[in-house]
């Protein structure tokens, strides 16, 4: 086996090797020599001359005699990978157990995250600085190692994908072509989802990888093709897959279309008033906006075009150029190209890359005041039209080389998309999307992609709110109508039927009005997983992030508001909560920390839970800090405080405003801000933490506009709504159940529990309502384990009510969570049970 | 800085149309643009533990709107609801940061008329010593032909959220929790 280990060592050495680094080259040379010595006994047949050639190359490198060090190094790498495949170092050994070894898999999965983020980081770096060979070498090395590991596990599919990725990287390097980063990232994403599946279920089947393979292969061949004939005329632009599946895409398309329409209208104005800068500004803004959003969605081709058009318009703005008719024609063509790209996004044909490229070039030439290809300014090119002078080479000579390059660059790494890439989109894409057969990469005209987008209308929230309000009123009016005594006396079947029908329609209407405002947490959670990756990378921790319940629906406003606090909490969890891999190993935990984000319904609210298995904050330290900061009175004893009360101190304002809280994992930085944000949404934040084992933070959020089931009670002349979920029972106590306490207080024996009686009348300082326990009724309220008996005059009934806020002009009122409009049109106040229990001094358990 | 200088500008910043209404025999005005609608007096759901002048909330076509008693707020004798009493629904700014307007209902004795007060008939708010609070008075409108003076209210500041929050806090502190046991 020494032969195999030698190969492994060479592979490792190669990863670190750069043509400039003599010491690593020397190490490499020594390993290759060792390999050659072992060659006769263990080396694969038919490759006898190879090790010598490699050795010669390495020697040349070391002595700096090589003319093309990069190529030579690549040749050595080729050699090594050839050897590897020949001796089967990469492939699972024949007859190996088909079952995946648990322990091995765990180890592998543990290391994967790091490897993946390394690749990802490297790829992004390469995207920015394509010339960095050492980054290239590292990425390739890591991919190679992963490929090897996948072979050992064995995960055949993953191995295939990595193999293809490796090939692609090699091709790009040897032919000096920019690496198609996006396609590799797609492969990474695929593998990521696979490992996530594996982590939970080892016998899982890998997600379909044909698409990924196709993409990689196609990219390789595309790149090949491109290298061969520079530009494939039929090549069409493509956008990253995730853009196609982006739920915000329809909105973007609609918006961008609107912008383009504006721009075109403005362009027509420009023709008659070429001097009017305001019109130019309007067009400029259009392209600027599109550029911004497209950039955000990684639509390179669109960004490039928007950018160069913008640059041209900027020249007009600065009055360096005057907008001539030719200019407007050119900008019109840009608008057309833009809209053809938008068409492509909504399932139309993909515009040619060459077309976009040409426009980019023409606009940048125009911006410099140089003549541009007049042919392009003659007719607005339609997406299907093949411009005669498509290749950039045909661009007029005055173009300096640099600009020609920069113009060509954007679309170069964008290969033609194959139809098979059309992943089923999350929610929007209807099931019946036709999946056209995979088209070979070089056909140029890919099968039409059908992304059917739901037509959307953008509606302002105020109008939406008004609608929901009105529907709410309709419900009330409808209830008032059906209960009208006059109508009740006319009991004809027809009236009855019509009333029922109206009732049904009203309910349906209410439901759909409500659903208009509900959105899932999916996109929020997705954003968080990106955040986790970034933060983990930055802080050098390895984190496995899982989410649960991202299809939980919440009111749109809550979903928007929740994002910031979540970002804060998750960043805290990773940055301060989780230990570094070394510390974790020391503490006997898996190297990979876990952060879990879960959303679920509990009671009448949504709970979002952020759980990590980090070191958690130390009680003593929090306590000490709180004393120092004067949050706790100086005589407080730690022993006397309930555990969760101590942890809750971190939510106190002032706990962490000044210096960074050292040692106690820094938790609490801005936690009071988080708490305030949550409380502003009528939510609640809670923490439970075990030192050394982890921390869970719970955000309890209301569904807001959601209807609640309420029990309507009367106390004096006012009616109040109690959320039914908080009510355990209601009863009128027997005299022998009541136990007077001290002078005024009373305890009531409920099924063996002695529970205090609180009169709503006294809590709210009302001067009406009964005091006699036998005249009114007791309602047993429960929240989070705490129970009290609330005494009210009577129960009026039970009904669903729409929670409404009491108007912005009022501050939050203690113990009142909102108002509800009852059937008679009057307002009843909704009691906040949680606050009520706190108010009467029942600590929640 | 004399008053003469302040009232001198051609267009006084306060000139314009005002809705005038009566509060205990005195006439007040609010900018007509602040007025959303005028509704008849109706049942108001009282809010517990709020300052006296906050009368409660009412249902304005499905929207809950808080109602204050302007007489109590301004300290103009004791309120009394008559057949002429009505609620002027105003749109006010709640804070400097939040630009959206909040609706608030104000109970007034009667609504009188819409006045067009020109610059030359404007006077700055007087300052009195003693308990009379003129902080909410923007200025005075003198109507020579009708021989009366209308106090123009700064309605945005009459119920500035900060102040109410302060009040609410006070109220909360005055009421020790769990008095029963």
């Amino acid at each position: 086996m020494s032969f195999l280990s030698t190969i492994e060592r060479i592979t490792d050495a190669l990863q670190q090797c750069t043509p400039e680094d003599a010491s690593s080259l020397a190490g490499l040379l020594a390993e290759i020599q060792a390999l050659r010595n072992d060659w006769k006994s263990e080396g694969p047949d038919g490759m006898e001359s190879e090790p010598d050639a490699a050795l010669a190359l390495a020697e040349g490198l070391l002595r700096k005699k090589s003319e093309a060090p990069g190529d030579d190094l690549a040749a050595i790498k080729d050699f090594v990978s050839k050897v590897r495949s020949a001796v089967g170092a990469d492939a699972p050994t024949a007859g190996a157990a088909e079952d995946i070894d648990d322990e091995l898999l765990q180890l592998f999965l543990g290391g994967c995250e790091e490897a993946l983020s390394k690749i990802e980081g490297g790829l992004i770096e390469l995207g920015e600085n394509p010339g960095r060979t050492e980054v290239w070498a590292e990425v390739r090395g890591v991919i190679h190692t992963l490929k090897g590991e996948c072979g050992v596990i064995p995960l055949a599919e993953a191995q295939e994908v990595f193999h293809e990725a490796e090939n692609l990287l090699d091709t790009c390097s040897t032919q000096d072509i920019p690496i198609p980063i996006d396609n590799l990232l797609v492969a990474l994403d695929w593998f990521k989802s696979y490992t996530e599946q594996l982590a939970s279920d080892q016998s899982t089947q890998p997600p379909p990888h044909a698409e990924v393979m196709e993409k990689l292969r196609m990219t390789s061949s595309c790149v090949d093709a491109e290298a061969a004939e520079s530009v494939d005329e039929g090549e069409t632009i493509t956008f990253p897959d995730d853009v196609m599946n982006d739920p915000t895409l329809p909105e973007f398309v609609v918006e961008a279309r609107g912008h383009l329409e504006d721009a075109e209208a403005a362009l027509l104005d420009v023709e008659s008033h070429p001097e009017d800068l305001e019109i130019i500004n309007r067009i400029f803004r259009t392209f600027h906006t599109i550029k911004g959003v497209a950039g955000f969605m990684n639509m390179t081709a669109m960004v490039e075009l928007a950018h160069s058009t913008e640059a041209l318009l900027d020249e007009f703005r600065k009055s360096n150029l005057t907008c001539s008719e030719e200019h407007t024609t050119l900008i019109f063509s840009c608008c057309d190209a833009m809209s053809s790209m938008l068409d492509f996004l909504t399932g139309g044909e993909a515009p040619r890359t060459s077309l976009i490229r040409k426009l980019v070039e023409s606009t940048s030439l125009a911006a410099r005041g140089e003549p541009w290809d007049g042919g392009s300014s003659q007719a607005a090119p339609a997406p299907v039209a093949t411009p005669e002078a498509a290749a950039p080479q045909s661009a007029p000579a005055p173009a300096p080389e640099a600009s020609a390059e920069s113009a060509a660059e954007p679309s170069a790494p964008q290969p033609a998309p194959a139809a098979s890439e059309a992943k089923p989109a999350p929610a929007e894409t209807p099931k019946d999307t036709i999946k056209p057969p995979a088209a070979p990469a070089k056909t140029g005209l890919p099968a039409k992609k059908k992304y059917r987008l739901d037509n959307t209308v953008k509606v302002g929230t105020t109008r939406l709110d008004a609608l929901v309000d009105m529907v709410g009123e309709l419900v009330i009016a409808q209830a008032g109508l059906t209960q009208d005594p006059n109508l009740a006396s006319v009991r004809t079947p027809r009236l009855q039927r019509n009333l029922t029908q109206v009732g049904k329609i009203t309910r349906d209407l209410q439901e759909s009005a409500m659903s208009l405002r509900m959105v899932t947490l999916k996109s929020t959670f997705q954003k968080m997983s990106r955040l986790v990756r970034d933060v983990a990378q930055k802080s050098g921790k390895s984190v496995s992030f899982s989410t649960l319940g991202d299809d939980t629906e919440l009111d749109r406003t809550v979903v928007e508001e929740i994002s910031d606090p979540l970002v804060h909490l998750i960043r805290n969890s990773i940055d301060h909560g989780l230990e570094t891999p070394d510390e974790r190993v020391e503490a006997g935990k898996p190297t990979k920390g876990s952060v879990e984000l879960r959303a679920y319904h509990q009671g009448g609210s949504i709970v979002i839970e952020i759980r990590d298995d980090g070191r958690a904050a130390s009680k003593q330290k929090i306590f000490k800090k709180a004393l120092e900061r004067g949050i706790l009175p100086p005589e407080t004893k730690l022993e006397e405080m309930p555990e969760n009360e101590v942890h809750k101190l971190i939510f106190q304002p002032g706990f962490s405003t000044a210096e960074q809280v050292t040692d106690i994992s820094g938790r609490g930085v801005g936690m009071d801000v988080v708490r305030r944000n949550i409380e502003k949404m009528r939510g609640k934040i809670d923490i439970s933490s075990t030192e050394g084992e982890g921390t869970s933070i719970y955000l309890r959020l209301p569904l807001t506009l959601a209807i609640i089931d309420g029990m309507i009670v009367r106390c004096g002349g006012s009616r109040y709504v109690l959320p039914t979920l908080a009510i355990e029972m209601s009863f009128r106590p027997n005299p022998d159940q009541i136990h007077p306490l001290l002078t005024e207080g009373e305890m009531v024996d409920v099924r063996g529990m002695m529970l205090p009686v609180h009169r709503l009348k006294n809590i709210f300082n009302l001067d009406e309502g009964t005091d006699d326990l036998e005249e009114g009724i007791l309602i047993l309220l429960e929240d989070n384990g705490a129970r009290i008996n609330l005494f009210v005059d009577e129960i009026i009934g039970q009904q669903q009510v729409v929670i409404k806020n009491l108007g912005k002009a009022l501050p939050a009122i203690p113990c009142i969570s909102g108002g509800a409009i009852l059937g008679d049109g009057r307002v009843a106040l909704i009691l906040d049970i949680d606050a009520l229990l706190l108010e009467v001094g029942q600590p929640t358990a | 800085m004399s008053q003469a200088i302040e009232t001198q500008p051609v267009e006084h910043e306060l000139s314009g149309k005002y809705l005038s209404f009566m509060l205990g025999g005195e006439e007040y005005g609010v900018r007509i643009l602040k007025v959303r609608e005028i509704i008849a007096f109706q049942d108001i759901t009282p809010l517990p533990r709020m300052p006296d002048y906050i009368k409660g909330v009412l249902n304005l076509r499905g929207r809950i709107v808080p109602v204050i008693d302007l007489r109590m707020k301004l300290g103009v004798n004791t309120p009394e609801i008559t057949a002429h009493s009505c609620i002027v629904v105003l749109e006010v700014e709640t804070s400097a940061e939040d630009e959206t307007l909040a609706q608030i209902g104000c109970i007034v004795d009667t609504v009188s008329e819409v006045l067009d007060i020109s610059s030359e008939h404007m006077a700055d708010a007087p300052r009195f010593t003693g308990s009379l609070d003129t902080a909410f008075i923007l200025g005075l409108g003198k109507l020579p032909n009708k021989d009366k003076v209308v106090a123009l209210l700064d309605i945005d500041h009459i119920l500035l959220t900060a102040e109410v929050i302060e009040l609410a806090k006070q109220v909360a502190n005055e009421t020790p929790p769990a008095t029963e046991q």
Side-chain angles (χ1 to χ4, degrees), chain A residues 260-504:
Chain A
L260 283 176
E261 269 166 35
D262 286 352
E264 281 176 19
L267 269 170
L268 291 171
D269 284 350
V270 168
E271 291 193 321
S272 40
H273 314 279
E275 245 56 81
D276 192 339
L277 288 184
E278 187 39 45
I279 305 176
I280 299 281
N281 270 333
R282 250 163 67 201
I283 312 171
F284 181 84
R285 278 196 294 271
T286 298
F287 280 94
H288 190 73
T289 314
I290 296 178
K291 181 175 97 169
V293 184
F296 188 68
M297 298 174 95
N298 278 329
M299 294 189 270
T300 332
M302 204 178 278
V303 175
E304 273 314 310
L305 183 56
H307 178 76
S308 62
T309 317
E310 200 186 298
L312 172 61
L313 288 163
D314 202 34
E315 292 303 312
F316 301 143
R317 284 212 307 182
K318 290 192 222 141
S319 305
N320 293 343
L321 287 174
T322 322
C323 191
S324 69
E325 209 178 311
E326 275 173 334
H327 283 114
T328 47
T329 315
L330 177 62
I331 299 171
F332 265 125
S333 318
C334 292
C335 287
D336 288 343
M338 280 286 187
S339 66
S340 66
M341 279 191 267
L342 293 175
D343 286 343
F344 170 47
L345 283 172
T346 45
E349 252 174 88
R352 299 274 155 74
T353 308
S354 49
L355 166 70
I356 308 295
R357 215 178 286 178
K358 187 167 162 52
L359 279 172
V360 168
E361 204 166 351
S362 302
T363 43
S364 36
L365 282 171
R368 284 195 301 274
E370 290 168 28
W372 68 92
D373 192 348
S376 69
S377 62
Q378 289 305 308
V384 277
T386 312
E388 289 127 33
Q393 280 80 354
S394 68
E401 219 173 56
S403 86
E405 245 174 56
S406 71
E409 195 179 43
S411 36
Q414 302 282 349
S420 63
E421 286 164 38
K423 281 188 201 155
E428 276 77 15
T429 314
K431 288 269 186 299
D432 58 350
T433 308
I434 303 150
K435 221 175 170 186
K442 282 176 74 182
T443 47
L445 282 170
K448 232 179 176 180
K449 260 194 198 176
K450 275 284 173 214
Y451 289 105
R452 244 189 40 217
L453 301 172
D454 275 356
N455 283 329
T456 53
V457 179
K458 223 176 151 191
V459 181
T461 41
T462 42
R463 283 164 76 184
L464 205 58
D465 287 346
L467 176 74
V468 175
D469 271 354
M470 276 189 291
V471 171
E473 230 191 321
L474 176 68
V475 173
I476 294 160
Q478 186 263 336
L481 197 62
T482 32
Q483 287 157 20
D484 191 286
N486 289 337
L487 270 182
S489 62
V490 196
R491 287 257 162 224
T492 70
R494 205 174 67 180
L495 177 70
Q496 218 41 46
R497 203 172 51 235
N498 288 344
L499 280 179
T500 323
Q501 181 69 4
V502 171
K504 186 184 172 302

Side-chain angles (χ1 to χ4, degrees), chain B residues 2 28 41 43 69 74 77 100 106 138 154-155:
Chain B
S2 78
Y28 290 86
F41 186 80
D43 257 349
D69 190 317
L74 297 173
N77 61 38
T100 54
C106 296
L138 283 171
D154 183 359
I155 209 68

Side-chain angles (χ1 to χ4, degrees), chain A residues 238-259:
Chain A
T238 177
F239 295 122
D241 252 12
D242 51 345
V243 167
M244 295 304 199
N245 297 331
D246 195 318
T248 59
L249 185 68
E251 204 180 301
F252 166 70
V253 172
V254 171
E255 249 174 37
R257 284 228 171 91
H259 283 307

Side-chain angles (χ1 to χ4, degrees), chain A residues 473 718 744-745 757-759 762-765 804-806 808-811 813-814 819 821 825-827 829 839-840, chain B residues 43-50 57-59 61-62 64 66 94 98 100-102 159 164-165 175 177-178 180-181:
Chain A
E473 230 191 321
S718 308
E744 280 175 51
V757 174
H758 293 276
R759 291 177 170 81
N762 294 0
I763 296 173
F764 281 167
N765 297 337
K804 297 188 179 251
N805 66 25
L806 296 180
K808 271 193 303 180
L810 285 179
I813 303 167
I821 295 166
R826 289 198 52 187
V827 180
L829 301 174
E839 174 91 24
V840 300
Chain B
D43 257 349
I44 294 170
T45 304
L47 293 171
R49 305 199 304 196
M50 279 282 127
V57 288
L58 61 77
N59 166 20
R61 292 189 303 279
I64 297 181
T94 47
D98 192 355
T100 54
L101 298 173
L159 198 96
V164 182
I165 289 169
T175 322
E180 282 168 85
Q181 299 300 312

Side-chain angles (χ1 to χ4, degrees), chain A residues 728-741 745-757 773 778 780 787-789:
Chain A
E728 282 202 342
M729 60 186 281
S730 57
F731 61 104
R732 185 165 282 173
N734 293 325
D736 57 345
Q737 271 182 290
I738 305 167
H739 304 277
L741 197 71
E746 282 140 326
M747 301 294 277
V748 170
D749 183 352
V750 190
R751 301 192 204 115
M753 293 182 290
M754 292 298 276
L755 297 171
V757 174
L773 283 191
L778 285 176
L780 178 55
R787 288 186 176 80
I788 60 161
N789 286 308

Side-chain angles (χ1 to χ4, degrees), chain A residues 162-180:
Chain A
F162 282 125
H163 180 75
E164 210 54 54
E166 210 181 347
N167 277 355
L168 175 58
L169 274 176
D170 284 350
T171 324
C172 289
S173 159
T174 47
Q175 302 180 2
D176 206 11
I177 292 164
I179 299 161

